[in-house]
Each structure stands twice: as structure tokens, then as C-alpha cells.
Amino acid sequence: GLSPLIDEGRRILEDIRVSADADIEVFNTFMAALNLPKVTDAEKAQRKQAIQAATVTATQVPINSANRCVAALDVAVQAAALVHPNILSDVAAGTLLLAAAGRGVLLNVDANLGRLKDPLLAERFANERATQEVELQKKAELVQQRVDGHRS
């Protein structure tokens, strides 16, 4: 039935809300790092380290958010197979919003990748980002195929 999917969807949406709050926090941390003093060599080094740590977190948080959008799209794919045809358009609309949200947070990853000093970490994040984008697209297409199949 739909009840377990609705419950799972609600849990995931709460995760996404928490991720949005985390994204705001990490942005504030990044901005605070930029404003650290940079007069002495020690201050410059501390500032550089704080900026890099904030950049790593500012990259991981949106990857996590995209992951939760993919999980929500998994729920949408399952729901699309179960719902009454009159509700399928609502599932499809939600799917479009989730896919757009996932792609939107991946733009934050793109903005940060070039600032990462650790090339292995940057590569790992780039790979995770690419995987998330493929998954977002694939799941959205599955729901769209269900909608298209109902129109025929």
C-alpha cells in the first residue's frame, strides 16, 4: 500500500529540510572563515585552513542533500506504480520538483569543487556528484514513463 511510502517520504522530506538548514550553516561558516584576520603568517594559515574545512563541508552537505532527493525519487517511482491514475500527475509534479531540487544542490557542489585543495577528495566528490545527477535523471524518467504510459 501507499501508507509505508507516505511515511518514508515524510522522513526523507524532513531529512531534506535538515539538509537545507545545514547548507545555511555551512555557508555562514564559510563566510566567517573568509572574514578571519590575515595579517600575520599564523592568521593567514589559520584562515586558509578554516576556508578549506568549510569548503569540504560545503561540498559534502549538498551531495548529501542530492542523495536524499534521489531517495525521495525512489519513493516517487514506487508510488507511481501504485497510485490511482488521477493522482499520478501529482506524483509526476513532485518528481519534477525533487529532480530540480537535486540538480540545484549539485550546482553548489560544482561551485566548490575547484576550491578543494585535495585532488583525491575533489575527484571523489566529482564522482559522487556525477552519480547523483544520473540517478536523479533516471528516477525522474521512470516516473515520466509511467505518466506517458497512462496517456496512451
Side-chain angles (χ1 to χ4, degrees), residues 30-136:
F30 182 81
M31 295 307 292
L34 287 178
N35 290 320
L36 288 173
K38 52 184 175 180
V39 177
T40 68
D41 286 343
E43 288 174 340
K44 289 176 186 176
Q46 183 181 17
R47 179 179 179 270
K48 189 175 183 179
Q49 184 179 17
I51 290 171
Q52 194 55 207
T55 301
V56 169
T57 305
T59 308
Q60 184 64 60
V61 166
I63 285 175
N64 294 346
S65 296
N67 180 277
R68 300 316 295 152
C69 289
V70 169
L73 287 171
D74 281 332
V75 172
V77 168
Q78 294 173 62
L82 298 173
V83 298
H84 189 278
N86 293 345
I87 299 175
L88 188 55
S89 63
D90 295 325
V91 174
T95 296
L96 291 173
L97 292 170
L98 284 165
R103 288 189 187 104
V105 297
L106 290 176
L107 293 174
N108 291 333
V109 175
D110 295 341
N112 294 323
L113 283 175
R115 293 189 186 111
L116 294 168
K117 302 299 181 200
D118 180 341
L120 293 176
L121 185 61
E123 182 180 0
R124 189 190 75 163
F125 281 146
N127 289 337
E128 288 181 39
R129 183 238 178 271
T131 298
Q132 297 299 341
E133 185 166 30
V134 167
E135 288 299 309
L136 289 163

Side-chain angles (χ1 to χ4, degrees), residues 145-152:
Q145 288 169 3
R146 177 84 172 141
V147 170
D148 293 344
H150 248 323
R151 281 191 252 176
S152 302

